[in-house]
Amino acid sequence: MNQVKYRIEPFQIYDYQGVEQHLARMAAKGWRLEKIGRCFWKYRRTEPAQVRYAVTYGQDISQFDPAPTEAQQSLEELCTSAGWKKTAEWSQMLIFSTEDPNPVPLETDGAILLDIIHRTMKGSFFGPALFLLAVVLFILASSVNTLIRTPLRFFDSNARLFSFSMYLLLAVLLLVYLGTYFTWRRRSLRSTAQGGPCVPLGRGYIWVEKTGVALMLILLAAFILMELLNANASYVTFFLLYLLLMNVLIFAVHGTNNLLKKRGASKGTNMAVTLTVDVVLAVVMMAVFTFGVFRWLNHSSAKETYATADGLWDVQPREDLLLTVSDLTGLSYDHIRRTAGHSGSIFLPQQTGWDVCRREGDAQIQDISYQIWEPKTSWLYRVLLEDVTAQKEDPASWGADAVYRRYLDGEPQNAWVLAWPGRIVQVYGSWTFTSSQKALSGKTLAP
Amino acid sequence: MAREKFQTLTEPMFYILLCLKRECCGADIAAQITALTRGRVTLGPGTLYHLLESFQQAGMIEETRTEGRKRSYLITPKGRKALETEYRRLLTLTEDYQTCIGKEDVP
């Protein structure tokens, strides 16, 4: 039977009543709070007992202090002399407990407690929360601008959709966090003005938080799954590596802080060194990560090639292109270079292929490329077609529902956009296609 | 605690200042208040601590001694003045009550 239990508790720092009641319930079940860490609350198994918990706040408590300040010691001494035993501390919150059925309450004036809580929130929580909210809103505004001005760019990758959803969720959670606090404070101000206590916070915000975290995890899983289905395993690996590095950074910063605390470094020294370590590590890790990603991408995408005077050619050209130069010309080529891939997003999946060929002794290089989009909404289908700056052509020779030829400075290009219900294709060739080549292209690239 | 709040004192504030006419540590203040008011006013240690901090910041009391974790305080002239002002205010309230209701109606 486990003697120790670790839990992630979703309480807000100002929800002192929630914390007190929760800890009393845990003690009644035989689990007493022992310590509060960075992430987990540690409970130890004991005999079930009626334990009373009470919370107060030490405004001057800092995670950078090597030991409790004189003021904190004085507060703890007062609480101890009133029969309370210090159980744990969590940020600026000090948690005491007693088995006395009728103890002197730690806080007997709701207005003073509310004032202390507000000053604690102002001192340590509003600044970071508002800064984060401002950054998140700026990013969201930029994304919305992209969505309005260039919707195709907005939908061109799952990563962009994923990050937009995450930021949106984060903004909602931050607004709920701040909104809940100010609503609670306003109601508590009314209550304490009439001599009453602060009002209970309720459990609503905990459900919002839990739902938010669950949605984030679902989004993360969906993003990873979509990228894996797109055969972008390396992209997923980079992303997971990035998350891992962020955790290493957080761990290293907390580790530095704790080490300096243990060694008795002053608050100022601890803050300066921890901040320096934070910034330097972040820069170094991002640089190493970026460099590593480029190296890896180059390495993983490297294929066996050989060189001629006009470029590199594949030793073993891939065979998975939907359409090749050879398909259209009926000729075989001595030098071939091919790329292909899947990209886009869940709403706008994209498939691409590019084939470059040359016959031995022939100086002319021939190439074709294609891009296939399958918009999942009629709106995106329309936007994609509206984005095409081309003139309509007779679709019959292509076997498509509609065909547009691209023009540049009034000159027709060897680039066509073919449209079928649910699919839009752009084909480019280094020569003007014949009727039979158009028909073959249309037939091959049709849905 | 906003300073303007000290322009009128709550019961706990009044009794804390009253107890500090003689040097006293926090725990003794709480005990003295309970004894003085025969248990009518109870001051929690958290509330007492925060009030002492606020009084000290406002210059109404001063720290006189520190023995280990125990700190002792004494009222300052500014604190005495605030106490005196509150006393006068309470007297005025009492007089006004008597004027309006009359001594015979006082229970």
Side-chain angles (χ1 to χ4, degrees):
Chain A
M1 191 180 283
N2 288 341
Q3 295 303 307
V4 173
K5 181 192 273 193
Y6 292 90
R7 287 170 54 115
I8 294 177
E9 303 292 9
F11 294 105
Q12 297 291 1
I13 195 76
Y14 59 91
D15 185 13
Y16 69 95
Q17 291 145 308
V19 170
E20 290 170 354
Q21 288 162 10
H22 166 75
L23 294 177
R25 277 198 301 272
M26 289 294 284
K29 289 178 191 168
W31 291 102
R32 290 208 198 182
L33 178 68
E34 192 170 288
K35 191 183 171 187
I36 299 179
R38 300 274 182 194
C39 297
F40 298 99
W41 293 34
K42 181 181 176 186
Y43 298 86
R44 187 166 291 281
R45 185 185 290 282
T46 56
E47 284 299 313
Q50 295 301 313
V51 183
R52 288 172 190 275
Y53 286 86
V55 162
T56 187
Y57 296 83
Q59 274 176 261
D60 64 336
I61 295 174
S62 164
Q63 59 174 322
F64 297 103
D65 275 322
T69 59
E70 280 186 13
Q72 185 182 341
Q73 287 181 29
S74 174
L75 171 59
E76 289 177 16
E77 170 63 23
L78 275 176
C79 297
T80 306
S81 62
W84 292 92
K85 182 184 165 199
K86 187 183 168 191
T87 306
E89 62 181 80
W90 178 37
S91 192
Q92 275 96 342
M93 181 189 272
L94 295 171
I95 302 172
F96 291 84
S97 63
T98 179
E99 292 191 37
D100 182 347
N102 293 303
V104 176
L106 273 195
E107 299 288 351
T108 46
D109 189 319
I112 291 172
L113 180 58
L114 185 61
D115 184 62
I116 292 300
I117 290 173
H118 191 58
R119 280 197 273 167
T120 303
M121 294 293 287
K122 272 205 292 193
S124 301
F125 296 94
F126 290 155
L130 289 173
F131 175 74
L132 186 59
L133 183 63
V135 171
V136 168
L137 289 178
F138 176 77
I139 293 170
L140 282 175
S142 165
S143 297
V144 169
N145 185 45
T146 305
L147 175 63
I148 293 167
R149 287 171 178 270
T150 51
L152 295 179
R153 190 160 164 256
F154 184 83
F155 286 101
D156 74 355
S157 78
N158 283 326
R160 193 187 299 276
L161 292 179
F162 169 69
S163 61
F164 178 77
S165 311
M166 287 298 239
Y167 282 124
L168 191 61
L169 206 51
L170 190 56
V172 169
L173 287 176
L174 282 168
L175 286 170
V176 167
Y177 169 70
L178 292 169
T180 305
Y181 172 73
F182 283 106
T183 306
W184 173 80
R185 176 171 156 74
R186 201 178 61 244
R187 291 174 57 217
S188 292
L189 276 172
R190 278 204 296 267
S191 170
T192 55
Q194 293 167 357
C198 299
V199 297
L201 184 56
R203 301 278 72 88
Y205 81 93
I206 290 179
W207 286 109
V208 172
E209 274 187 13
K210 282 183 175 175
T211 308
V213 171
L215 278 174
M216 281 184 175
L217 291 174
I218 290 169
L219 278 171
L220 180 64
F223 169 66
I224 289 173
L225 190 66
M226 283 188 292
E227 289 304 305
L228 288 176
L229 288 175
N230 264 357
N232 285 335
S234 56
Y235 196 89
V236 172
T237 310
F238 297 146
F239 180 72
L240 293 177
L241 195 62
Y242 174 79
L243 287 185
L244 180 71
L245 282 179
M246 285 296 108
N247 280 296
V248 168
L249 178 65
I250 292 168
F251 183 77
V253 169
H254 286 166
T256 308
N257 179 14
N258 286 339
L259 185 70
L260 289 168
K261 273 170 85 167
K262 277 182 191 165
R263 297 206 165 188
S266 69
K267 182 179 174 181
T269 306
N270 194 328
M271 281 177 85
V273 173
T274 304
L275 189 64
T276 307
V277 167
D278 190 3
V279 172
V280 170
L281 260 183
V283 170
V284 168
M285 282 169 67
M286 284 315 293
V288 169
F289 179 73
T290 309
F291 180 71
V293 165
F294 279 117
R295 281 289 299 265
W296 191 12
L297 274 177
N298 284 337
H299 179 73
S300 61
S301 62
K303 47 191 178 180
E304 214 178 337
T305 56
Y306 62 93
T308 64
D310 51 1
L312 293 172
W313 302 98
D314 298 345
V315 172
Q316 281 192 311
R318 57 196 303 163
E319 299 289 340
D320 57 347
L321 263 70
L322 297 175
L323 188 67
T324 63
V325 175
S326 193
D327 293 338
L328 295 175
T329 60
L331 302 171
S332 61
Y333 292 84
D334 302 298
H335 306 292
I336 300 172
R337 181 170 66 242
R338 287 174 180 162
T339 55
H342 291 262
S343 57
S345 67
I346 187 172
F347 295 108
L348 190 60
Q350 188 181 344
Q351 191 181 346
T352 54
W354 184 31
D355 185 31
V356 186
C357 308
R358 182 167 67 77
R359 303 184 79 184
E360 189 63 53
D362 189 346
Q364 190 187 3
I365 290 177
Q366 287 184 292
D367 73 301
I368 63 157
S369 66
Y370 62 82
Q371 288 168 282
I372 302 172
W373 294 281
E374 294 191 325
K376 298 300 178 197
T377 69
S378 55
W379 173 73
L380 269 176
Y381 186 90
R382 278 200 312 277
V383 168
L384 199 55
L385 269 189
E386 283 165 9
D387 193 52
V388 174
T389 50
Q391 289 187 14
K392 258 194 162 179
E393 261 195 12
D394 177 20
S397 57
W398 293 85
D401 287 13
V403 173
Y404 306 83
R405 186 165 187 178
R406 287 193 180 275
Y407 280 72
L408 183 66
D409 297 331
E411 289 296 315
Q413 304 294 297
N414 294 323
W416 294 268
V417 175
L418 322 177
W420 291 273
R423 176 178 282 202
I424 292 171
V425 177
Q426 175 166 273
V427 192
Y428 162 81
S430 57
W431 72 96
T432 305
F433 287 6
T434 63
S435 297
S436 61
Q437 287 172 338
K438 286 179 180 176
L440 180 61
S441 302
K443 188 180 171 189
T444 310
L445 299 173
Chain B
M1 178 67 51
R3 281 188 183 194
E4 57 267 27
K5 283 197 177 179
F6 291 140
Q7 288 178 1
T8 58
L9 301 177
T10 61
E11 271 191 281
M13 291 174 187
F14 184 84
Y15 282 113
I16 288 172
L17 290 178
L18 202 56
C19 290
L20 286 178
K21 66 182 191 299
R22 280 200 303 240
E23 186 187 75
C24 212
C25 71
D28 290 344
I29 294 170
Q32 278 190 39
I33 291 175
T34 306
L36 191 61
T37 63
R38 290 174 290 282
R40 187 176 58 80
V41 177
T42 308
L43 203 52
T47 305
L48 173 61
Y49 169 82
H50 297 310
L51 280 175
L52 289 172
E53 287 280 297
S54 300
F55 278 143
Q56 211 180 341
Q57 279 171 17
M60 293 165 77
I61 63 170
E62 61 187 0
E63 193 180 315
T64 50
R65 235 171 352 126
T66 306
E67 285 174 42
R69 294 179 155 202
K70 275 188 181 178
R71 292 181 186 184
S72 296
Y73 304 89
L74 191 64
I75 195 166
T76 62
K78 188 178 175 184
R80 278 184 184 276
K81 193 179 171 193
L83 196 60
E84 178 73 19
T85 305
E86 183 63 19
Y87 170 68
R88 300 262 170 236
R89 191 181 73 82
L90 292 173
L91 275 184
T92 306
L93 291 179
T94 309
E95 284 165 9
D96 289 345
Y97 178 88
Q98 287 177 340
T99 305
C100 292
I101 305 295
K103 279 187 180 177
E104 66 279 9
D105 291 335
V106 177

